[in-house]
Every structure is written in C-alpha cells, then in structure tokens.
Amino acid sequence: MSRPRVRWSAVAVVAAGLTLSGCGGDHSGEAAATSSAPSASAGGGVADGGGSPAATPSGSRSAASGGRCRTADLGFAIVPTSRAKNPNLQYALTITLTNKGATSCVLNGYPGVDLVGPLTWSLARQTAVQPHRVTVRPGATTTFNIFYLPYVQGSGDEFKPTRIVVTPPGETHSHTLPWPVGSILLQDAATHPGTYVSPVGAK
C-alpha cells in the first residue's frame, strides 16, 4: 500500500511544480512588458528599461524655450555715444538687451520708453520700421534705438532728462538707466517729434 502513496505524492509534487512554474511565467511576462515600455521621468525625460532616466531630447528643451523675455531675465546697458552739437542733426542712443536666462526668449515689438526729468515724456514709436520677432539666445544681445534731437539755445524748449525708464515689449516691469547725454529738444506735444523709439532688433 505504500507504493500508491508514493505515486500520489509524486503526482502532487509535479502538480505543485506546474502551478508554481505557471505563476512564475505570468510574472516574468509582466516584467518583460514593463521593461520594454519606457516610463516618463519627473524631469520630462524618458527612463530606459534599466530604470535610469535618459537625457531629455533637445526638441523638448526647445519647446520649453521661446517664451517672452522677462524684464528680470534681461540685462540693460547703453552703448556709448557722442552728444550732438548741431540742432539739425538727429542722434541715436542705442540700448542693449542681454538675455541672462537659461533658455532662449522672444522680443517682439516696441519697448516702452519714458524720459524722466522735470516731467515724464513717453516717447513715440518709429513707424517707418516694422517690428519683427527677435529670438535672443542665453547670453546673446539685441538692441533698440532712442533717436533724439539735442537742444541748442534758441532751438525751442529745453528738456533735461535724468533717467530712462525701459519696459520690454509685453512686460509690465521696467528697468531704469541714467540719461547719459545733455539736454534735448522738448517735442512731447508734436505730431511728428524728432525724438522717438525704434522696435527691438531694428538697425
């Protein structure tokens, strides 16, 4: 009678083994499916089958860039220029805008420019030049111009600005620079003043 018990025990062991191998087969299939499908990482990259994050594609980085340049991410400076001595000559003061951010950004249009002194003069725009989209890479610089007529005794009303308040296109925050030259001819009520601002990126 002991032999049948042995046979049934062997059958039970074999059945148990088949059951265990079936469970193991299901889990290995899940593991294989998991390793073959990439998973998104928190940083926007893709994790490979080993679980280590892959580098974010350059296309993803460029898609995240290209937003409007913020005032806080721009460096402002004045290109040195000479003062005009002839009231019939129009001079240009060039302002540089440098991207201090980590990604490219876009400037499109006219900056807001106020000349501040005894009064505040909000400058007109140079309509002869059409604005265009300017993409500024990190560390790169673009410019705009303030065209002005200098004041000479007897040429009209004198205006002595002390500072320039610049608001980049699309922004509400401003940056202040010192006015680096002398008095200019006040034409704040003129229809076509000789003092005005160009769009960003204009030559």
Side-chain angles (χ1 to χ4, degrees):
M1 295 297 294
S2 61
R3 293 177 63 186
R5 281 197 210 85
V6 172
R7 282 200 301 271
W8 283 110
S9 299
V11 170
V13 170
V14 171
L18 290 172
T19 303
L20 289 174
S21 65
C23 292
D26 291 343
H27 285 294
S28 64
E30 291 175 2
T34 302
S35 64
S36 63
S39 60
S41 66
V46 175
D48 62 16
S52 60
T56 303
S58 58
S60 299
R61 284 197 298 271
S62 62
S65 65
R68 186 177 69 240
C69 294
R70 304 288 182 177
T71 305
D73 292 329
L74 293 173
F76 298 75
I78 301 172
V79 176
T81 184
S82 60
R83 176 184 174 182
K85 296 188 171 94
N86 187 330
N88 296 318
L89 291 179
Q90 185 186 55
Y91 273 58
L93 193 68
T94 300
I95 310 295
T96 61
L97 304 173
T98 302
N99 183 4
K100 301 187 301 180
T103 60
S104 297
C105 63
V106 172
L107 291 165
N108 189 2
Y110 296 87
V113 175
D114 293 336
L115 299 184
V116 181
L119 55 83
T120 298
W121 182 2
S122 296
L123 298 189
R125 296 174 173 181
Q126 181 187 22
T127 56
V129 178
Q130 293 298 313
H132 61 277
R133 179 185 174 97
V134 178
T135 299
V136 190
R137 297 190 305 271
T141 296
T142 188
T143 63
F144 69 90
N145 297 310
I146 298 174
F147 295 97
Y148 68 94
L149 289 175
Y151 171 77
V152 174
Q153 188 70 33
S155 63
D157 293 330
E158 181 182 12
F159 178 54
K160 296 180 178 180
T162 57
R163 59 191 186 274
I164 311 164
V165 180
V166 179
T167 307
E171 280 289 280
T172 56
H173 294 86
S174 303
H175 183 86
T176 301
L177 294 165
W179 178 255
V181 293
S183 298
I184 62 176
L185 182 64
L186 181 62
Q187 294 181 312
D188 57 336
T191 304
H192 300 287
T195 298
Y196 49 83
V197 59
S198 78
V200 172
K203 301 298 185 182

